[in-house]
Short mmCIF file of all heavy atoms in Angstrom, two decimals:
data_model
loop_
_atom_site.label_atom_id
_atom_site.label_comp_id
_atom_site.label_asym_id
_atom_site.label_seq_id
_atom_site.Cartn_x
_atom_site.Cartn_y
_atom_site.Cartn_z
N ALA R 435 -161.23 59.43 217.06
CA ALA R 435 -162.02 58.96 215.91
C ALA R 435 -161.49 57.62 215.41
O ALA R 435 -162.26 56.70 215.12
CB ALA R 435 -161.93 59.99 214.78
N ASP R 436 -160.16 57.50 215.38
CA ASP R 436 -159.55 56.24 214.96
C ASP R 436 -159.93 55.12 215.94
O ASP R 436 -160.26 54.01 215.55
CB ASP R 436 -158.03 56.36 214.96
CG ASP R 436 -157.54 57.22 213.82
OD1 ASP R 436 -158.37 57.61 212.98
OD2 ASP R 436 -156.33 57.52 213.79
N GLU R 437 -159.85 55.48 217.22
CA GLU R 437 -160.14 54.50 218.25
C GLU R 437 -161.58 53.99 218.11
O GLU R 437 -161.82 52.79 218.18
CB GLU R 437 -159.98 55.18 219.61
CG GLU R 437 -159.68 54.21 220.72
CD GLU R 437 -159.32 54.94 222.00
OE1 GLU R 437 -158.60 55.94 221.92
OE2 GLU R 437 -159.79 54.51 223.03
N ALA R 438 -162.49 54.93 217.87
CA ALA R 438 -163.89 54.57 217.73
C ALA R 438 -164.08 53.67 216.51
O ALA R 438 -164.82 52.68 216.56
CB ALA R 438 -164.74 55.82 217.58
N ARG R 439 -163.36 54.00 215.44
CA ARG R 439 -163.49 53.23 214.21
C ARG R 439 -162.94 51.81 214.39
O ARG R 439 -163.54 50.85 213.98
CB ARG R 439 -162.74 53.94 213.08
CG ARG R 439 -163.36 53.68 211.73
CD ARG R 439 -162.75 54.57 210.70
NE ARG R 439 -163.12 55.95 210.84
CZ ARG R 439 -162.27 56.95 211.00
NH1 ARG R 439 -161.00 56.74 211.04
NH2 ARG R 439 -162.70 58.18 211.11
N VAL R 440 -161.81 51.73 215.10
CA VAL R 440 -161.22 50.41 215.35
C VAL R 440 -162.16 49.58 216.20
O VAL R 440 -162.38 48.40 215.95
CB VAL R 440 -159.84 50.57 216.03
CG1 VAL R 440 -159.36 49.23 216.57
CG2 VAL R 440 -158.83 51.12 215.06
N SER R 441 -162.75 50.23 217.20
CA SER R 441 -163.67 49.51 218.09
C SER R 441 -164.89 49.03 217.33
O SER R 441 -165.39 47.94 217.55
CB SER R 441 -164.11 50.42 219.24
OG SER R 441 -162.99 50.93 219.87
N ALA R 442 -165.36 49.89 216.42
CA ALA R 442 -166.58 49.56 215.69
C ALA R 442 -166.35 48.50 214.63
O ALA R 442 -167.22 47.71 214.33
CB ALA R 442 -167.15 50.82 215.05
N ALA R 443 -165.15 48.49 214.08
CA ALA R 443 -164.89 47.60 212.94
C ALA R 443 -164.52 46.18 213.39
O ALA R 443 -165.26 45.54 214.09
CB ALA R 443 -163.81 48.20 212.07
N GLY R 444 -163.34 45.75 213.02
CA GLY R 444 -163.00 44.33 213.18
C GLY R 444 -162.60 43.88 214.57
O GLY R 444 -162.36 42.70 214.78
N ALA R 445 -162.52 44.79 215.52
CA ALA R 445 -162.06 44.41 216.84
C ALA R 445 -163.05 43.44 217.49
O ALA R 445 -164.23 43.47 217.19
CB ALA R 445 -161.91 45.65 217.70
N PRO R 446 -162.54 42.59 218.37
CA PRO R 446 -163.44 41.62 219.01
C PRO R 446 -164.52 42.31 219.84
O PRO R 446 -164.32 43.42 220.32
CB PRO R 446 -162.50 40.80 219.88
CG PRO R 446 -161.23 41.55 219.97
CD PRO R 446 -161.15 42.45 218.81
N ASN R 447 -165.63 41.60 220.00
CA ASN R 447 -166.76 42.19 220.72
C ASN R 447 -166.50 42.25 222.23
O ASN R 447 -167.01 43.12 222.91
CB ASN R 447 -168.03 41.38 220.46
CG ASN R 447 -168.52 41.60 219.04
OD1 ASN R 447 -168.34 42.68 218.49
ND2 ASN R 447 -169.11 40.58 218.45
N ASP R 448 -165.74 41.28 222.71
CA ASP R 448 -165.43 41.24 224.13
C ASP R 448 -164.62 42.48 224.52
O ASP R 448 -163.54 42.72 223.97
CB ASP R 448 -164.63 39.96 224.41
CG ASP R 448 -164.31 39.80 225.88
OD1 ASP R 448 -164.87 40.58 226.67
OD2 ASP R 448 -163.50 38.91 226.22
N PRO R 449 -165.13 43.26 225.48
CA PRO R 449 -164.40 44.49 225.86
C PRO R 449 -162.99 44.22 226.36
O PRO R 449 -162.08 44.99 226.10
CB PRO R 449 -165.27 45.10 226.95
CG PRO R 449 -166.57 44.41 226.89
CD PRO R 449 -166.37 43.11 226.23
N GLU R 450 -162.84 43.10 227.06
CA GLU R 450 -161.51 42.77 227.59
C GLU R 450 -160.53 42.48 226.46
O GLU R 450 -159.40 42.96 226.46
CB GLU R 450 -161.63 41.55 228.51
CG GLU R 450 -160.37 41.33 229.34
CD GLU R 450 -160.38 40.02 230.12
OE1 GLU R 450 -161.48 39.47 230.31
OE2 GLU R 450 -159.30 39.55 230.48
N GLN R 451 -161.03 41.72 225.50
CA GLN R 451 -160.21 41.40 224.31
C GLN R 451 -159.82 42.67 223.57
O GLN R 451 -158.69 42.83 223.11
CB GLN R 451 -160.99 40.50 223.37
CG GLN R 451 -161.23 39.09 223.90
CD GLN R 451 -160.03 38.21 223.63
OE1 GLN R 451 -159.51 38.20 222.53
NE2 GLN R 451 -159.59 37.49 224.65
N ARG R 452 -160.82 43.57 223.50
CA ARG R 452 -160.60 44.83 222.78
C ARG R 452 -159.53 45.66 223.48
O ARG R 452 -158.65 46.23 222.85
CB ARG R 452 -161.92 45.60 222.73
CG ARG R 452 -162.12 46.30 221.41
CD ARG R 452 -163.52 46.66 221.12
NE ARG R 452 -164.25 47.22 222.24
CZ ARG R 452 -165.56 47.04 222.43
NH1 ARG R 452 -166.25 46.30 221.61
NH2 ARG R 452 -166.18 47.59 223.46
N LEU R 453 -159.65 45.68 224.79
CA LEU R 453 -158.68 46.45 225.58
C LEU R 453 -157.28 45.86 225.43
O LEU R 453 -156.31 46.58 225.25
CB LEU R 453 -159.11 46.43 227.05
CG LEU R 453 -158.28 47.29 228.00
CD1 LEU R 453 -158.57 48.77 227.76
CD2 LEU R 453 -158.56 46.93 229.44
N LEU R 454 -157.22 44.54 225.47
CA LEU R 454 -155.92 43.87 225.34
C LEU R 454 -155.30 44.15 223.96
O LEU R 454 -154.11 44.43 223.86
CB LEU R 454 -156.08 42.36 225.54
CG LEU R 454 -156.27 41.89 226.99
CD1 LEU R 454 -156.57 40.41 227.04
CD2 LEU R 454 -155.03 42.20 227.82
N ALA R 455 -156.17 44.07 222.94
CA ALA R 455 -155.67 44.33 221.58
C ALA R 455 -155.15 45.75 221.47
O ALA R 455 -154.10 46.00 220.86
CB ALA R 455 -156.79 44.10 220.57
N ARG R 456 -155.88 46.67 222.10
CA ARG R 456 -155.46 48.07 222.02
C ARG R 456 -154.13 48.29 222.73
O ARG R 456 -153.25 48.99 222.25
CB ARG R 456 -156.54 48.96 222.65
CG ARG R 456 -156.51 50.37 222.10
CD ARG R 456 -157.72 51.14 222.48
NE ARG R 456 -157.85 51.26 223.94
CZ ARG R 456 -158.95 51.70 224.54
NH1 ARG R 456 -160.01 52.01 223.83
NH2 ARG R 456 -159.01 51.82 225.84
N GLU R 457 -154.00 47.65 223.86
CA GLU R 457 -152.74 47.77 224.62
C GLU R 457 -151.58 47.16 223.83
O GLU R 457 -150.49 47.72 223.79
CB GLU R 457 -152.88 47.05 225.97
CG GLU R 457 -153.49 47.94 227.03
CD GLU R 457 -153.62 47.23 228.37
OE1 GLU R 457 -153.15 46.09 228.50
OE2 GLU R 457 -154.24 47.82 229.27
N ARG R 458 -151.85 46.02 223.21
CA ARG R 458 -150.82 45.34 222.43
C ARG R 458 -150.36 46.23 221.27
O ARG R 458 -149.17 46.37 221.03
CB ARG R 458 -151.42 44.05 221.88
CG ARG R 458 -150.44 42.93 221.74
CD ARG R 458 -151.10 41.59 221.57
NE ARG R 458 -152.19 41.59 220.62
CZ ARG R 458 -153.41 41.12 220.88
NH1 ARG R 458 -153.70 40.68 222.08
NH2 ARG R 458 -154.36 41.14 219.96
N ARG R 459 -151.32 46.84 220.62
CA ARG R 459 -150.98 47.71 219.47
C ARG R 459 -150.23 48.95 219.92
O ARG R 459 -149.30 49.40 219.26
CB ARG R 459 -152.27 48.10 218.74
CG ARG R 459 -152.82 46.96 217.93
CD ARG R 459 -154.20 47.19 217.44
NE ARG R 459 -154.71 46.01 216.77
CZ ARG R 459 -155.92 45.93 216.24
NH1 ARG R 459 -156.74 46.96 216.29
NH2 ARG R 459 -156.31 44.83 215.64
N ALA R 460 -150.64 49.49 221.05
CA ALA R 460 -149.94 50.68 221.57
C ALA R 460 -148.50 50.33 221.93
O ALA R 460 -147.58 51.11 221.67
CB ALA R 460 -150.68 51.20 222.79
N ARG R 461 -148.32 49.13 222.49
CA ARG R 461 -146.98 48.68 222.88
C ARG R 461 -146.11 48.50 221.63
O ARG R 461 -144.95 48.89 221.58
CB ARG R 461 -147.10 47.35 223.63
CG ARG R 461 -146.01 47.10 224.68
CD ARG R 461 -146.52 46.15 225.75
NE ARG R 461 -147.13 44.96 225.18
CZ ARG R 461 -146.46 43.82 224.94
NH1 ARG R 461 -145.19 43.72 225.20
NH2 ARG R 461 -147.08 42.76 224.44
N MET R 462 -146.72 47.92 220.61
CA MET R 462 -146.00 47.71 219.35
C MET R 462 -145.59 49.02 218.72
O MET R 462 -144.46 49.20 218.27
CB MET R 462 -146.91 46.97 218.36
CG MET R 462 -146.68 45.49 218.30
SD MET R 462 -147.93 44.72 217.30
CE MET R 462 -147.80 45.60 215.77
N ALA R 463 -146.55 49.95 218.71
CA ALA R 463 -146.28 51.26 218.10
C ALA R 463 -145.17 51.98 218.85
O ALA R 463 -144.29 52.60 218.24
CB ALA R 463 -147.55 52.10 218.10
N ALA R 464 -145.21 51.87 220.18
CA ALA R 464 -144.18 52.53 220.99
C ALA R 464 -142.81 51.91 220.72
O ALA R 464 -141.81 52.62 220.63
CB ALA R 464 -144.54 52.42 222.47
N ALA R 465 -142.80 50.58 220.58
CA ALA R 465 -141.53 49.89 220.32
C ALA R 465 -140.98 50.28 218.95
O ALA R 465 -139.78 50.56 218.81
CB ALA R 465 -141.74 48.37 220.39
N ILE R 466 -141.84 50.35 217.96
CA ILE R 466 -141.40 50.73 216.60
C ILE R 466 -140.90 52.17 216.61
O ILE R 466 -139.93 52.52 215.95
CB ILE R 466 -142.53 50.51 215.58
CG1 ILE R 466 -142.76 49.00 215.38
CG2 ILE R 466 -142.20 51.16 214.23
CD1 ILE R 466 -143.97 48.64 214.55
N ASP R 467 -141.56 52.97 217.40
CA ASP R 467 -141.18 54.38 217.47
C ASP R 467 -139.81 54.57 218.13
O ASP R 467 -139.16 55.59 217.93
CB ASP R 467 -142.25 55.15 218.25
CG ASP R 467 -142.50 56.51 217.66
OD1 ASP R 467 -142.56 56.60 216.41
OD2 ASP R 467 -142.61 57.50 218.42
N ARG R 468 -139.41 53.58 218.91
CA ARG R 468 -138.12 53.70 219.58
C ARG R 468 -136.95 53.29 218.68
O ARG R 468 -135.79 53.43 219.07
CB ARG R 468 -138.10 52.84 220.85
CG ARG R 468 -138.84 53.54 222.00
CD ARG R 468 -138.85 52.69 223.24
NE ARG R 468 -137.53 52.50 223.80
CZ ARG R 468 -137.29 51.76 224.87
NH1 ARG R 468 -138.27 51.18 225.50
NH2 ARG R 468 -136.07 51.63 225.34
#
Side-chain angles (χ1 to χ4, degrees):
Chain R
D436 288 353
E437 204 172 319
R439 210 170 289 123
V440 168
S441 307
N447 288 328
D448 182 10
E450 193 188 341
Q451 291 277 313
R452 219 160 43 212
L453 186 72
L454 284 173
R456 205 168 60 192
E457 274 180 5
R458 212 164 45 232
R459 286 168 185 180
R461 210 155 50 92
M462 262 172 56
I466 290 172
D467 218 42
R468 281 179 66 182

